[in-house]
mmCIF file of all heavy atoms in Angstrom:
data_model
loop_
_atom_site.group_PDB
_atom_site.id
_atom_site.type_symbol
_atom_site.label_atom_id
_atom_site.label_comp_id
_atom_site.label_asym_id
_atom_site.label_seq_id
_atom_site.Cartn_x
_atom_site.Cartn_y
_atom_site.Cartn_z
ATOM 1 N N PHE A 1 105.853 -44.040 19.218
ATOM 2 C CA PHE A 1 106.222 -42.635 19.031
ATOM 3 C C PHE A 1 106.662 -42.020 20.356
ATOM 4 O O PHE A 1 107.693 -41.345 20.432
ATOM 5 C CB PHE A 1 105.050 -41.840 18.456
ATOM 6 C CG PHE A 1 105.279 -40.346 18.524
ATOM 7 C CD1 PHE A 1 106.114 -39.729 17.610
ATOM 8 C CD2 PHE A 1 104.696 -39.579 19.527
ATOM 9 C CE1 PHE A 1 106.357 -38.355 17.686
ATOM 10 C CE2 PHE A 1 104.939 -38.219 19.612
ATOM 11 C CZ PHE A 1 105.766 -37.610 18.688
ATOM 12 N N ALA A 2 105.868 -42.225 21.411
ATOM 13 C CA ALA A 2 106.193 -41.623 22.710
ATOM 14 C C ALA A 2 107.548 -42.098 23.214
ATOM 15 O O ALA A 2 108.328 -41.311 23.779
ATOM 16 C CB ALA A 2 105.104 -41.960 23.725
ATOM 17 N N ALA A 3 107.862 -43.374 22.995
ATOM 18 C CA ALA A 3 109.151 -43.912 23.445
ATOM 19 C C ALA A 3 110.310 -43.185 22.781
ATOM 20 O O ALA A 3 111.280 -42.792 23.445
ATOM 21 C CB ALA A 3 109.218 -45.409 23.152
ATOM 22 N N ASN A 4 110.250 -43.003 21.479
ATOM 23 C CA ASN A 4 111.344 -42.347 20.758
ATOM 24 C C ASN A 4 111.379 -40.845 21.022
ATOM 25 O O ASN A 4 112.462 -40.253 21.126
ATOM 26 C CB ASN A 4 111.201 -42.622 19.256
ATOM 27 C CG ASN A 4 111.564 -44.048 18.904
ATOM 28 O OD1 ASN A 4 112.728 -44.409 18.839
ATOM 29 N ND2 ASN A 4 110.549 -44.876 18.696
ATOM 30 N N TYR A 5 110.213 -40.240 21.139
ATOM 31 C CA TYR A 5 110.149 -38.800 21.425
ATOM 32 C C TYR A 5 110.806 -38.496 22.766
ATOM 33 O O TYR A 5 111.595 -37.549 22.892
ATOM 34 C CB TYR A 5 108.689 -38.363 21.418
ATOM 35 C CG TYR A 5 108.465 -36.910 21.753
ATOM 36 C CD1 TYR A 5 108.723 -35.912 20.813
ATOM 37 C CD2 TYR A 5 107.978 -36.524 22.998
ATOM 38 C CE1 TYR A 5 108.512 -34.569 21.114
ATOM 39 C CE2 TYR A 5 107.758 -35.195 23.307
ATOM 40 C CZ TYR A 5 108.032 -34.224 22.363
ATOM 41 O OH TYR A 5 107.825 -32.899 22.665
ATOM 42 N N VAL A 6 110.517 -39.297 23.781
ATOM 43 C CA VAL A 6 111.071 -39.078 25.119
ATOM 44 C C VAL A 6 112.544 -39.452 25.172
ATOM 45 O O VAL A 6 113.345 -38.783 25.837
ATOM 46 C CB VAL A 6 110.258 -39.875 26.157
ATOM 47 C CG1 VAL A 6 110.984 -39.940 27.489
ATOM 48 C CG2 VAL A 6 108.888 -39.258 26.328
ATOM 49 N N ALA A 7 112.940 -40.510 24.469
ATOM 50 C CA ALA A 7 114.334 -40.953 24.504
ATOM 51 C C ALA A 7 115.288 -39.890 23.975
ATOM 52 O O ALA A 7 116.443 -39.813 24.394
ATOM 53 C CB ALA A 7 114.491 -42.241 23.695
ATOM 54 N N GLU A 8 114.822 -39.046 23.079
ATOM 55 C CA GLU A 8 115.691 -38.088 22.390
ATOM 56 C C GLU A 8 116.077 -36.894 23.260
ATOM 57 O O GLU A 8 117.193 -36.382 23.173
ATOM 58 C CB GLU A 8 114.987 -37.604 21.114
ATOM 59 C CG GLU A 8 115.874 -36.850 20.166
ATOM 60 C CD GLU A 8 115.196 -36.625 18.827
ATOM 61 O OE1 GLU A 8 114.247 -35.830 18.764
ATOM 62 O OE2 GLU A 8 115.608 -37.277 17.851
ATOM 63 N N ASP A 9 115.152 -36.398 24.075
ATOM 64 C CA ASP A 9 115.409 -35.223 24.915
ATOM 65 C C ASP A 9 114.598 -35.426 26.200
ATOM 66 O O ASP A 9 113.575 -34.783 26.410
ATOM 67 C CB ASP A 9 114.978 -33.962 24.167
ATOM 68 C CG ASP A 9 115.408 -32.682 24.860
ATOM 69 O OD1 ASP A 9 116.001 -32.768 25.960
ATOM 70 O OD2 ASP A 9 115.138 -31.590 24.330
ATOM 71 N N THR A 10 115.079 -36.312 27.044
ATOM 72 C CA THR A 10 114.216 -36.962 28.027
ATOM 73 C C THR A 10 113.621 -36.019 29.063
ATOM 74 O O THR A 10 112.393 -35.960 29.225
ATOM 75 C CB THR A 10 115.002 -38.092 28.727
ATOM 76 O OG1 THR A 10 115.553 -38.944 27.720
ATOM 77 C CG2 THR A 10 114.088 -38.899 29.627
ATOM 78 N N ILE A 11 114.442 -35.301 29.795
ATOM 79 C CA ILE A 11 113.911 -34.500 30.901
ATOM 80 C C ILE A 11 113.022 -33.380 30.391
ATOM 81 O O ILE A 11 111.914 -33.160 30.903
ATOM 82 C CB ILE A 11 115.059 -33.953 31.766
ATOM 83 C CG1 ILE A 11 115.756 -35.109 32.510
ATOM 84 C CG2 ILE A 11 114.545 -32.923 32.763
ATOM 85 C CD1 ILE A 11 116.944 -34.693 33.347
ATOM 86 N N ARG A 12 113.471 -32.670 29.362
ATOM 87 C CA ARG A 12 112.671 -31.554 28.852
ATOM 88 C C ARG A 12 111.334 -32.040 28.302
ATOM 89 O O ARG A 12 110.281 -31.440 28.567
ATOM 90 C CB ARG A 12 113.453 -30.808 27.760
ATOM 91 C CG ARG A 12 112.761 -29.519 27.301
ATOM 92 C CD ARG A 12 113.529 -28.864 26.169
ATOM 93 N NE ARG A 12 113.455 -29.648 24.949
ATOM 94 C CZ ARG A 12 112.439 -29.607 24.092
ATOM 95 N NH1 ARG A 12 111.388 -28.829 24.348
ATOM 96 N NH2 ARG A 12 112.444 -30.320 22.993
ATOM 97 N N ARG A 13 111.358 -33.127 27.535
ATOM 98 C CA ARG A 13 110.119 -33.598 26.924
ATOM 99 C C ARG A 13 109.198 -34.278 27.938
ATOM 100 O O ARG A 13 107.972 -34.184 27.821
ATOM 101 C CB ARG A 13 110.441 -34.522 25.748
ATOM 102 C CG ARG A 13 110.973 -33.728 24.553
ATOM 103 C CD ARG A 13 111.339 -34.598 23.373
ATOM 104 N NE ARG A 13 111.659 -33.769 22.207
ATOM 105 C CZ ARG A 13 112.130 -34.240 21.062
ATOM 106 N NH1 ARG A 13 112.335 -35.549 20.915
ATOM 107 N NH2 ARG A 13 112.382 -33.420 20.059
ATOM 108 N N MET A 14 109.765 -34.947 28.937
ATOM 109 C CA MET A 14 108.921 -35.487 29.994
ATOM 110 C C MET A 14 108.262 -34.349 30.775
ATOM 111 O O MET A 14 107.097 -34.457 31.184
ATOM 112 C CB MET A 14 109.743 -36.365 30.937
ATOM 113 C CG MET A 14 109.938 -37.788 30.451
ATOM 114 S SD MET A 14 108.386 -38.738 30.367
ATOM 115 C CE MET A 14 107.902 -38.767 32.097
ATOM 116 N N ARG A 15 108.996 -33.268 30.984
ATOM 117 C CA ARG A 15 108.409 -32.115 31.669
ATOM 118 C C ARG A 15 107.245 -31.549 30.853
ATOM 119 O O ARG A 15 106.193 -31.204 31.405
ATOM 120 C CB ARG A 15 109.487 -31.054 31.898
ATOM 121 C CG ARG A 15 108.981 -29.836 32.670
ATOM 122 C CD ARG A 15 110.090 -28.856 32.994
ATOM 123 N NE ARG A 15 110.970 -29.390 34.036
ATOM 124 C CZ ARG A 15 112.231 -29.711 33.858
ATOM 125 N NH1 ARG A 15 112.785 -29.569 32.650
ATOM 126 N NH2 ARG A 15 112.963 -30.173 34.843
ATOM 127 N N LEU A 16 107.423 -31.473 29.548
ATOM 128 C CA LEU A 16 106.368 -30.971 28.660
ATOM 129 C C LEU A 16 105.134 -31.885 28.727
ATOM 130 O O LEU A 16 103.997 -31.415 28.883
ATOM 131 C CB LEU A 16 106.901 -30.903 27.228
ATOM 132 C CG LEU A 16 105.877 -30.592 26.135
ATOM 133 C CD1 LEU A 16 105.572 -29.103 26.129
ATOM 134 C CD2 LEU A 16 106.407 -31.015 24.765
ATOM 135 N N ILE A 17 105.365 -33.186 28.601
ATOM 136 C CA ILE A 17 104.260 -34.150 28.602
ATOM 137 C C ILE A 17 103.511 -34.115 29.924
ATOM 138 O O ILE A 17 102.271 -34.075 29.960
ATOM 139 C CB ILE A 17 104.791 -35.565 28.307
ATOM 140 C CG1 ILE A 17 105.189 -35.676 26.832
ATOM 141 C CG2 ILE A 17 103.757 -36.630 28.660
ATOM 142 C CD1 ILE A 17 105.916 -36.958 26.479
ATOM 143 N N MET A 18 104.236 -34.107 31.035
ATOM 144 C CA MET A 18 103.580 -34.153 32.326
ATOM 145 C C MET A 18 102.904 -32.830 32.678
ATOM 146 O O MET A 18 101.915 -32.818 33.410
ATOM 147 C CB MET A 18 104.564 -34.559 33.418
ATOM 148 C CG MET A 18 104.990 -36.024 33.341
ATOM 149 S SD MET A 18 103.602 -37.185 33.103
ATOM 150 C CE MET A 18 102.536 -36.766 34.488
ATOM 151 N N ALA A 19 103.397 -31.729 32.147
ATOM 152 C CA ALA A 19 102.709 -30.448 32.362
ATOM 153 C C ALA A 19 101.341 -30.479 31.690
ATOM 154 O O ALA A 19 100.325 -30.064 32.283
ATOM 155 C CB ALA A 19 103.550 -29.301 31.818
ATOM 156 N N ALA A 20 101.294 -30.958 30.441
ATOM 157 C CA ALA A 20 100.020 -31.056 29.729
ATOM 158 C C ALA A 20 99.102 -32.081 30.382
ATOM 159 O O ALA A 20 97.892 -31.847 30.526
ATOM 160 C CB ALA A 20 100.270 -31.426 28.265
ATOM 161 N N TYR A 21 99.668 -33.218 30.782
ATOM 162 C CA TYR A 21 98.886 -34.282 31.416
ATOM 163 C C TYR A 21 98.312 -33.792 32.741
ATOM 164 O O TYR A 21 97.125 -33.998 33.050
ATOM 165 C CB TYR A 21 99.790 -35.507 31.628
ATOM 166 C CG TYR A 21 99.069 -36.808 31.900
ATOM 167 C CD1 TYR A 21 99.628 -38.015 31.484
ATOM 168 C CD2 TYR A 21 97.870 -36.868 32.593
ATOM 169 C CE1 TYR A 21 98.994 -39.231 31.731
ATOM 170 C CE2 TYR A 21 97.227 -38.070 32.849
ATOM 171 C CZ TYR A 21 97.798 -39.248 32.422
ATOM 172 O OH TYR A 21 97.181 -40.443 32.667
ATOM 173 N N THR A 22 99.132 -33.129 33.550
ATOM 174 C CA THR A 22 98.668 -32.636 34.843
ATOM 175 C C THR A 22 97.581 -31.593 34.673
ATOM 176 O O THR A 22 96.590 -31.579 35.423
ATOM 177 C CB THR A 22 99.843 -32.047 35.643
ATOM 178 O OG1 THR A 22 100.848 -33.054 35.818
ATOM 179 C CG2 THR A 22 99.387 -31.548 36.999
ATOM 180 N N ALA A 23 97.734 -30.727 33.670
ATOM 181 C CA ALA A 23 96.736 -29.678 33.434
ATOM 182 C C ALA A 23 95.367 -30.283 33.136
ATOM 183 O O ALA A 23 94.356 -29.883 33.731
ATOM 184 C CB ALA A 23 97.188 -28.786 32.282
ATOM 185 N N ILE A 24 95.299 -31.256 32.226
ATOM 186 C CA ILE A 24 94.001 -31.843 31.887
ATOM 187 C C ILE A 24 93.479 -32.695 33.030
ATOM 188 O O ILE A 24 92.274 -32.725 33.299
ATOM 189 C CB ILE A 24 94.094 -32.654 30.567
ATOM 190 C CG1 ILE A 24 92.702 -33.119 30.126
ATOM 191 C CG2 ILE A 24 95.036 -33.837 30.688
ATOM 192 C CD1 ILE A 24 91.718 -32.013 29.839
ATOM 193 N N ALA A 25 94.369 -33.375 33.760
ATOM 194 C CA ALA A 25 93.927 -34.214 34.876
ATOM 195 C C ALA A 25 93.316 -33.368 35.997
ATOM 196 O O ALA A 25 92.254 -33.712 36.537
ATOM 197 C CB ALA A 25 95.098 -35.041 35.408
ATOM 198 N N VAL A 26 93.976 -32.272 36.348
ATOM 199 C CA VAL A 26 93.446 -31.382 37.390
ATOM 200 C C VAL A 26 92.119 -30.778 36.947
ATOM 201 O O VAL A 26 91.149 -30.723 37.728
ATOM 202 C CB VAL A 26 94.467 -30.284 37.735
ATOM 203 C CG1 VAL A 26 93.828 -29.198 38.597
ATOM 204 C CG2 VAL A 26 95.671 -30.884 38.459
ATOM 205 N N LEU A 27 92.045 -30.338 35.696
ATOM 206 C CA LEU A 27 90.809 -29.762 35.170
ATOM 207 C C LEU A 27 89.659 -30.769 35.254
ATOM 208 O O LEU A 27 88.553 -30.445 35.702
ATOM 209 C CB LEU A 27 91.019 -29.309 33.728
ATOM 210 C CG LEU A 27 89.785 -28.765 32.996
ATOM 211 C CD1 LEU A 27 89.251 -27.524 33.706
ATOM 212 C CD2 LEU A 27 90.121 -28.448 31.537
ATOM 213 N N LEU A 28 89.923 -32.005 34.835
ATOM 214 C CA LEU A 28 88.871 -33.019 34.833
ATOM 215 C C LEU A 28 88.507 -33.451 36.252
ATOM 216 O O LEU A 28 87.342 -33.767 36.522
ATOM 217 C CB LEU A 28 89.307 -34.228 34.014
ATOM 218 C CG LEU A 28 89.506 -33.974 32.518
ATOM 219 C CD1 LEU A 28 89.833 -35.266 31.787
ATOM 220 C CD2 LEU A 28 88.277 -33.320 31.911
ATOM 221 N N ALA A 29 89.489 -33.484 37.162
ATOM 222 C CA ALA A 29 89.184 -33.815 38.554
ATOM 223 C C ALA A 29 88.256 -32.764 39.158
ATOM 224 O O ALA A 29 87.312 -33.091 39.897
ATOM 225 C CB ALA A 29 90.470 -33.924 39.366
#
């Protein structure tokens, strides 16, 4: 799923994914 989701609108969706990932990673750190 992640492969196809990112392939379709790559920069915008990678920005979305990494914003959420960074938020939880910083919180947990």
Side-chain angles (χ1 to χ4, degrees):
F1 168 78
N4 287 283
Y5 178 76
V6 167
E8 192 170 70
D9 189 357
T10 307
I11 292 177
R12 187 183 69 82
R13 287 179 172 174
M14 277 295 297
R15 183 175 288 114
L16 172 78
I17 288 171
M18 289 313 305
Y21 197 149
T22 302
I24 187 61
V26 168
L27 176 61
L28 295 184

